[in-house]
Amino acid sequence: MDEPVAAESIAEDQPMLLTFLVALPHPCPMPHGAIIARHFTEELRGLQGVSMRMSPDMPDLPGEAATRLFVSLKFWQVNERAPVGDMHLDALSRVAVEVAGGEPFSPAEELEREVDSYRTVVEMITVQNADVWAADEQAAVNEALTRCFDVLSDVSSMARLVKHWGHPIATKEQVAVALWFGRPPTSPSYKTGIGGILMLTPPSDPVKEVFEEPEMNRLMAHLKRVWDGSPLELAMDRSLEASTFMRRDGDYGNAVIHAALSSEIVLDGVLALLLWEEQLQDPSVDAAIAAFDESRGGLATRVRREYAPRLGGTWDPEKRGAVQAWARDLARLRGRVVHRGYRPTETEAVAALSASDALLDFIKGRLAAKARNYPRTALLVLGEPGLRRLGGWKVAEAYLEASQHRPDDWFREYAAWRNKVDAAR
């Protein structure tokens, strides 16, 4: 995206021109050779007097555009044979023989398994100012790649609106490798430059193992708890979904949303368990209805009002701690994502997921500290391993020995009570 000029007319502190090549896992229906560029507000220094062009056959960019950082994307469509969506007929046929007998199913020869298609390769060009490059070359390459993918993700997202396709938005987490090249903008080619291969997210291996007995036991324990009404497995599932959106898809917005859902399920569920345990001696839903009354304030107000008197610790979002980090890095960001359509950065999403994890650890620590007051809730949330690790097991063990109730029934009893609460609100 530059037009070289005489070397003597160029300042010594030239920026570094960087090109990345990535092959997208799903085609992007841009015409072959199409170019899309975006200019940013950051100043591009060291190229005064250089003729900047989108491509050699296009006119010079105006002065303002030529002095700002940019990303230019060029789309290459490479023909290839691609498999039709896998119908898994071979596996189905083998199981069908075991179930129904007979001969293995043979797909009709005319059933096409591959079709002519294309692979989209994107040439992504950007620049880094000389001082950024000199400070840390690896960090400069990574920052430039992220900037390019920010633009590519926007193009991919809006292309879905045109075609109404359901393919995932193109992100760096979906790309296995990237080739990169670097040179001063006034060099005639990359032959005298630098470059290499960036390992981004190599394809995951096929699943090769099935559950062994200990894992099946854990699965059955999770299923029993969730079928009995435990909210905790649902929170764990949202947390895992957040991590999947983050690491596999690069969908930072959904990662933030699901991390927020996980935290809200934990906050709601633990408070409800505390309220359920409080009313065991005098069965009622009145206190729970009052606690969850939205007219008395939203989630943040409820957290400050209901948790501190029961579990102690710092629950004020204005004071330093896990609750403040949750409110600042996750709850507020979730609001921007949901209500404004804001697209968080990778750094923001990492902080949001970290805040969700820290809030859960804080709640676990407070439950262990208050095991004497709320032994059932502590046992249901932490179990024996968690109480042994965080403290409180001796108190909970003594409660179990003196109690005539069976812990296996507790989630079922809690769920029946919670349904009454929800019905009465």
Side-chain angles (χ1 to χ4, degrees):
M1 188 175 163
D2 57 271
E3 191 73 9
V5 298
E8 60 269 17
S9 66
I10 303 299
E12 294 182 358
D13 60 341
Q14 284 189 9
M16 180 65 71
L17 184 71
L18 296 168
T19 294
F20 301 92
L21 296 179
V22 296
L24 302 185
H26 305 286
C28 187
M30 301 293 295
H32 178 73
I35 296 175
I36 294 180
R38 179 183 179 185
H39 286 83
F40 297 86
T41 57
E42 290 86 350
E43 179 187 7
L44 172 59
R45 301 180 295 274
L47 286 182
Q48 293 77 9
V50 177
S51 175
M52 302 287 288
R53 301 177 181 178
M54 293 285 294
S55 64
D57 57 348
M58 296 182 69
D60 292 355
L61 292 172
E64 182 181 357
T67 59
R68 290 186 291 159
L69 293 183
F70 64 85
V71 167
S72 176
L73 307 179
K74 182 175 182 179
F75 293 83
W76 300 71
Q77 306 295 3
V78 181
N79 293 329
E80 67 175 15
R81 294 283 288 176
V84 176
D86 198 339
M87 294 176 282
H88 309 290
L89 290 174
D90 294 335
L92 287 171
S93 174
R94 291 167 62 181
V95 175
V97 171
E98 295 292 328
V99 173
E103 295 295 323
F105 172 75
S106 297
E109 292 183 2
E110 63 270 19
L111 188 63
E112 198 166 26
R113 303 250 186 144
E114 289 188 339
V115 295
D116 290 325
S117 183
Y118 59 88
R119 175 70 55 191
T120 302
V121 175
V122 187
E123 177 186 355
M124 309 189 297
I125 302 176
T126 190
V127 283
Q128 284 287 34
N129 282 312
D131 55 340
V132 176
W133 184 261
D136 188 331
E137 292 184 6
Q138 187 59 55
V141 170
N142 292 337
E143 179 189 288
L145 180 67
T146 298
R147 185 190 309 136
C148 288
F149 265 106
D150 286 344
V151 178
L152 177 59
S153 295
D154 286 341
V155 174
S156 173
S157 175
M158 296 302 102
R160 296 201 311 175
L161 295 185
V162 176
K163 280 287 190 181
H164 293 281
W165 283 2
H167 288 327
I169 295 173
T171 65
K172 65 182 179 182
E173 285 79 4
Q174 297 173 18
V175 174
V177 298
L179 305 182
W180 74 278
F181 312 92
R183 63 178 173 86
T186 52
S187 297
S189 74
Y190 284 108
K191 291 182 179 179
T192 58
I194 56 177
I197 299 177
L198 296 175
M199 302 301 295
L200 301 181
T201 310
S204 58
D205 294 330
V207 176
K208 301 176 183 178
E209 300 175 350
V210 297
F211 285 165
E212 296 181 356
E213 184 176 354
E215 294 165 319
M216 278 301 299
N217 292 338
R218 287 169 54 197
L219 170 65
M220 298 310 296
H222 282 313
L223 286 174
K224 182 185 186 313
R225 285 165 59 91
V226 76
W227 288 340
D228 281 349
S230 166
L232 305 174
E233 276 68 22
L234 303 179
M236 292 162 59
D237 184 55
R238 292 306 92 201
S239 179
L240 180 59
E241 194 76 352
S243 180
T244 300
F245 275 118
M246 179 80 183
R247 307 302 175 192
R248 184 195 67 190
D249 301 331
D251 187 342
Y252 306 140
N254 266 317
V256 168
I257 290 172
H258 283 270
L261 286 175
S262 176
S263 291
E264 290 176 24
I265 293 170
V266 168
L267 287 167
D268 181 282
V270 170
L271 177 57
L273 284 166
L274 296 172
L275 291 162
W276 164 72
E277 189 165 0
E278 288 175 358
Q279 60 83 53
L280 289 175
Q281 300 303 318
D282 184 15
S284 171
V285 297
D286 294 342
I289 293 173
F292 287 108
D293 186 353
E294 292 292 336
S295 68
R296 301 176 63 199
L299 178 61
T301 301
R302 186 160 61 249
V303 165
R304 182 165 26 194
R305 183 185 68 230
E306 303 293 342
Y307 272 87
R310 292 176 168 88
L311 296 182
T314 303
W315 293 90
D316 187 343
E318 301 303 320
K319 296 182 179 179
R320 184 176 180 180
V323 175
Q324 183 188 66
W326 163 75
R328 180 192 63 223
D329 297 334
L330 180 54
R332 293 172 191 168
L333 181 59
R334 178 259 185 200
R336 295 175 67 194
V337 173
V338 171
H339 300 297
R340 286 185 49 202
Y342 175 70
R343 291 182 177 176
T345 65
E346 180 180 10
T347 300
E348 289 173 322
V350 168
L353 269 64
S354 177
S356 179
D357 292 340
L359 178 67
L360 178 59
D361 288 342
F362 173 67
I363 292 173
K364 287 179 177 179
R366 296 315 307 161
L367 284 173
K370 294 293 183 177
R372 187 179 302 278
N373 304 75
Y374 296 97
R376 290 194 179 200
T377 303
L379 282 161
L380 288 174
V381 174
L382 300 173
E384 180 180 343
L387 285 167
R388 286 187 180 276
R389 178 170 57 87
L390 298 172
W393 169 242
K394 289 184 178 180
V395 171
E397 184 180 32
Y399 175 80
L400 285 175
E401 292 175 352
S403 173
Q404 300 300 312
H405 299 281
R406 296 181 55 203
D408 287 348
D409 296 331
W410 289 350
F411 267 129
R412 205 160 42 243
E413 295 170 5
Y414 156 79
W417 171 85
R418 181 62 194 268
N419 287 339
K420 293 178 182 179
V421 173
D422 292 342
R425 289 171 61 189

